[in-house]
Amino acid sequence: LTRDRNHPMLNRSISGIYPPGSTYKALVALAALQEGVVTPGTTFFCPGYLEFGGRRYRCWRDHGHGSVAVSNAIIQSCDVYFYQCGLRLGVDRLAHWVKAFGLGEKTGVGMPAESAGLIPTSWWKKQAMGVPWQKGETLSIAIGQGFVATTPLQMTLAYAAIANDGKVWQPHVVRRIEGHGPDEVEEIKGRLKNRIPIDQKHFDVVKRGLFGVVASNQGTAHAIRDKNIAIAGKT
């Protein structure tokens, strides 16, 4: 088992680190709104790519999304919109806000071999590689690619924090510990780790977008829509 190339002994939920991809866009949107580099009405035109630094950074949709604002950019997962947000924010401001959601550090869930992942900054790259950060790299991290690496549990907690309007809760595996008698019971209580200082109105905008990902016919996850359950999500 330890030599199996598929690594069946790896607890992927806490030890596997992966590019979060487009799930990162909700956090980028919140950072951009809170920093004021975009408003809910700010639109960018997506022809299917962004010209930057002598090359084309493509959107997943070849013919583009046209003119989109933040909620619709989330609904349709428009890469070009988030490239623009990344350029306006810069790597360090973006890192500041996504770290507030618990990314880039261990969750402290209490299980062995948990990974911290990586949220890059300009300082990190200079220390790790000896070369400056490049703006083109900001485009990659703005859509959850490039150097960004997260665990599935980290992203689960980040999305729970969005649903909870900025409350980051400490995850636990154990609910309670029981001894030999009724008095020997220790309940594991919920503990609030962080309250993210992002305005409620910005959470409302992003949550409307996440709901539209499933509820809207334009949403990238509309196939899982269920008339009996209100679902928000992100492809």
Side-chain angles (χ1 to χ4, degrees):
L1 286 172
T2 59
R3 291 193 296 270
D4 189 316
R5 68 175 61 187
N6 293 316
H7 305 292
M9 303 298 288
L10 177 69
N11 185 346
R12 287 171 169 78
S13 64
I14 62 169
S15 301
I17 54 172
Y18 311 97
S22 290
T23 59
Y24 206 60
K25 292 173 180 174
L27 305 183
V28 176
L30 285 166
L33 288 164
Q34 183 64 26
E35 287 288 338
V37 299
V38 300
T39 70
T42 301
T43 60
F44 296 113
F45 185 78
C46 170
Y49 58 88
L50 175 69
E51 292 273 6
F52 183 81
R55 60 167 287 195
R56 285 188 173 183
Y57 291 80
R58 302 210 65 84
C59 185
W60 70 267
R61 192 178 190 189
D62 288 341
H63 59 277
H65 294 95
S67 183
V68 289
V70 62
S71 284
N72 211 33
I74 293 171
I75 289 169
Q76 299 188 67
S77 202
C78 175
D79 293 328
V80 169
Y81 187 93
F82 292 98
Y83 291 151
Q84 295 280 14
C85 288
L87 287 174
R88 291 185 174 204
L89 279 167
V91 59
D92 294 324
R93 279 200 291 181
L94 178 55
H96 167 77
W97 287 108
V98 298
K99 284 182 176 181
F101 285 85
L103 303 187
E105 64 180 29
K106 295 179 181 180
T107 68
V109 69
M111 298 179 71
E114 183 178 13
S115 298
L118 174 64
I119 300 301
T121 63
S122 57
W123 179 88
W124 166 82
K125 190 184 177 195
K126 189 69 174 177
Q127 295 296 310
M129 301 180 183
V131 292
W133 185 265
Q134 301 297 316
K135 285 187 177 181
E137 294 168 328
T138 306
L139 298 179
S140 295
I141 64 168
I143 60 167
Q145 303 290 346
F147 293 115
V148 179
T150 61
T151 68
L153 181 59
Q154 285 175 330
M155 292 306 295
T156 300
L157 295 175
Y159 267 75
I162 295 173
N164 291 325
D165 299 322
K167 295 176 183 175
V168 181
W169 290 91
Q170 172 63 48
H172 297 287
V173 176
V174 176
R175 176 175 292 177
R176 67 184 181 188
I177 300 170
E178 297 181 353
H180 295 293
D183 297 330
E184 297 180 51
V185 176
E186 181 185 353
E187 295 282 348
I188 308 300
K189 303 295 185 183
R191 181 171 69 83
L192 189 63
K193 286 182 69 175
N194 188 25
R195 196 181 290 267
I196 303 165
I198 290 177
D199 295 348
Q200 180 65 50
K201 62 184 179 181
H202 302 323
F203 280 110
D204 292 342
V205 169
V206 169
K207 286 197 287 187
R208 281 198 299 272
L210 294 172
F211 181 72
V213 170
V214 181
S216 169
N217 288 332
Q218 293 181 309
T220 51
H222 72 271
I224 67 167
R225 187 166 52 211
D226 188 314
K227 65 181 180 180
N228 299 309
I229 308 169
I231 305 172
K234 183 72 197 75
T235 48

